[in-house]
């Protein structure tokens, strides 16, 4: 005790007194903020790596079955499931806004009601997408796909219907648990599920030769095992403050939730389909085989790195929504700066690594020297994409946390589809820069979008956003339940 008093006296006597105190306060503030950030970002990054890994493992085992099956699986995964994933993940991000702000405002019982509202909306949206999977074969034939591949894709697409419905539970529970910084359970379940998937895929496809059926059964289980675990955790006492059982209140005031979910879904879909269009544009260039293979390798690497960025997106959304719910605009701004700087630092490190190893990068994925040379040539663009990924998703997370999804829809639409794609077509086809031109054009769209989000974030009146958040929470507030009152006072 005496030692502590002496140290405090020395600290007070230090010159200059105010600066020393301010520095210590800033250090403590940064440490506390980083701890809160990584509690969300760490599990979110690992969980997204795991989910991405499920698709990679499935694709690898299907690839050993046959080239037709591999092409069909990739087609269903890239065109149909990416669309469904983007739409449902975006719609679920509306829950991220509501749960984060409600938790910050200590309206704990509302998180469970918002979760149930999200389930209703997402189930309806998923059911509306089922015909895409049922009629996958004729749809793919209509857009010019090979007859044999389209038929096989039609059979594989039916297996993806349970996968699509798994997104309903997966995305909504993740948003609900992240808002409370209780997402470590998701990490444990993801590790278990990924391990089971590897073993079960090997048994069913290699050992017992069940082919595509075995690979898809394992894939469905890999998606649903974590969901069952999350549901048990949520409903069996893992979230006593925020889950008070099923409530009919979830069926009230659904229309505002639908509007927020639709705008959120549109916002994310516009981003996820941007890279898909890059592949489609490149497929019509000269020497398309080499360029598409090289671009696919680059986008695969970019996809893995994007999992880190999506983790920071989740952290930004949770931190901003929590602080706005609490009514602390300064803390919200501080969390934005901290997350952007942390993510950008990681992006700069990765940029340097990819530039240094650019000539060796492709040989991890291919033995074709022409493809490897093309990847080395595209590596600077890949490195710049990685740097952009370290900033842009964080700003999208800020938008989700603040509830700006409808504004960002227009920003994405203008920057990506009215600027990025036309410039890419101009540079790639008219100026004959081929895949580099297409990619540069689309990076210009991403850069402009990032700059616009930075301007919006910088010029935002965060005190006003606190008021907006409070109005939103009060508008959707339902009567507190008996056990929630004791939870709030705890």
């Amino acid at each position: 005790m005496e030692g502590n008093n002496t140290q405090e006296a020395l600290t007070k006597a230090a010159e200059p007194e105010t600066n020393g105190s301010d520095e210590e306060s800033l250090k403590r503030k940064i440490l506390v903020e980083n701890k809160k950030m990584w509690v969300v970002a760490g599990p979110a990054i690992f969980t997204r790596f795991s989910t991405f890994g499920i698709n990679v493992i499935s694709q690898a085992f299907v690839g050993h079955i046959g080239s037709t099956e591999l092409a069909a699986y990739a087609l269903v995964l890239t065109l149909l499931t990416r669309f469904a994933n983007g739409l449902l993940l975006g719609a679920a991000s509306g829950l991220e806004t509501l749960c984060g702000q409600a938790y910050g405002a200590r309206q704990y019982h509302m998180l469970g009601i918002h979760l149930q509202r999200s389930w209703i909306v997402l189930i309806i949206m998923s059911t509306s997408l089922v015909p895409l999977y049922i009629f996958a074969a004729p749809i793919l034939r209509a857009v010019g796909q090979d007859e044999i591949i389209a038929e096989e894709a039609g059979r594989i697409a039916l297996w993806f219907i349970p996968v699509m419905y798994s997104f309903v539970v997966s995305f909504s529970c993740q948003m609900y648990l992240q808002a409370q910084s209780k997402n470590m359970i998701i990490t444990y379940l993801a590790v278990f599920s990924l391990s089971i998937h590897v073993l079960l895929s090997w048994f069913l496809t290699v050992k017992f030769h069940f082919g595509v059926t075995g690979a898809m059964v394992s894939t469905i289980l890999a998606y649903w095992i974590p969901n069952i675990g999350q549901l048990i955790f949520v409903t069996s006492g893992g979230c006593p403050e925020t889950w008070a059982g099923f409530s009919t209140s979830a069926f009230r005031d659904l229309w505002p939730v639908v509007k927020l979910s639709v705008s959120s879904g549109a916002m994310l879909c516009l981003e996820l389909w941007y890279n898909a269009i890059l592949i489609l544009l490149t497929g019509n260039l000269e020497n398309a085989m080499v360029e598409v293979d090289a671009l696919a390798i680059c986008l695969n690497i970019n996809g893995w790195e994007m999992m880190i960025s999506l983790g920071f997106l989740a952290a930004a959304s949770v931190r901003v929504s929590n602080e706005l719910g609490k009514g602390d605009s300064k803390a919200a701004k501080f969390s934005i700066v901290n997350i952007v700087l942390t993510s950008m630092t990681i992006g700069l490190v990765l940029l340097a690594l990819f530039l240094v190893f650019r000539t060796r990068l492709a040989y991890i994925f291919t033995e074709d020297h022409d493809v490897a040379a093309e990847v080395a040539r595209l590596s600077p663009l890949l490195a710049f994409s990685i740097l952009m990924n370290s900033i842009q998703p964080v700003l999208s997370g800020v938008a989700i946390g603040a509830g700006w999804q409808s504004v960002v829809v227009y920003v994405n639409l203008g920057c990506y589809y009215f600027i990025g794609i036309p410039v890419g077509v101009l540079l790639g086809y008219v100026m004959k820069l081929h895949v580099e031109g297409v990619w540069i054009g689309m990076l210009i769209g991403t850069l402009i979008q990032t700059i616009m989000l930075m301007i919006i974030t910088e010029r935002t009146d965060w005190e006003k956003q606190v008021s907006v958040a409070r109005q939103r929470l009060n508008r959707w507030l339902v009567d507190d339940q008996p056990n929630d009152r004791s939870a709030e006072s705890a």
Side-chain angles (χ1 to χ4, degrees), residues 419-479:
I419 298 176
I421 292 173
V423 172
V425 171
L426 177 66
L427 294 176
Y429 287 84
V430 180
M431 304 297 291
K432 303 295 183 183
L433 294 178
H434 303 294
V435 66
E436 286 177 299
V438 174
W439 201 346
I440 289 170
M442 300 185 79
L443 279 174
I444 289 172
T446 304
L447 179 62
I448 294 173
Q449 187 251 19
T450 303
I451 291 171
M452 289 192 68
L453 289 182
M454 289 177 72
I455 292 171
I456 291 171
T457 303
E458 174 62 28
R459 294 187 176 180
T460 293
D461 182 345
W462 288 98
E463 288 292 343
K464 183 178 179 181
Q465 291 303 310
V466 168
S467 300
V468 170
R470 186 53 52 91
Q471 290 172 10
R472 180 187 294 117
L473 293 170
N474 290 336
R475 186 170 68 248
W476 288 343
L477 181 66
V478 298
D479 290 337

Side-chain angles (χ1 to χ4, degrees), residues 41-62:
I45 290 169
F46 190 88
T47 303
R48 282 163 174 79
F49 265 111
S50 175
T51 304
F52 196 83
I54 288 174
N55 293 327
V56 171
I57 291 166
S58 298
Q59 195 161 350
F61 279 100
V62 170

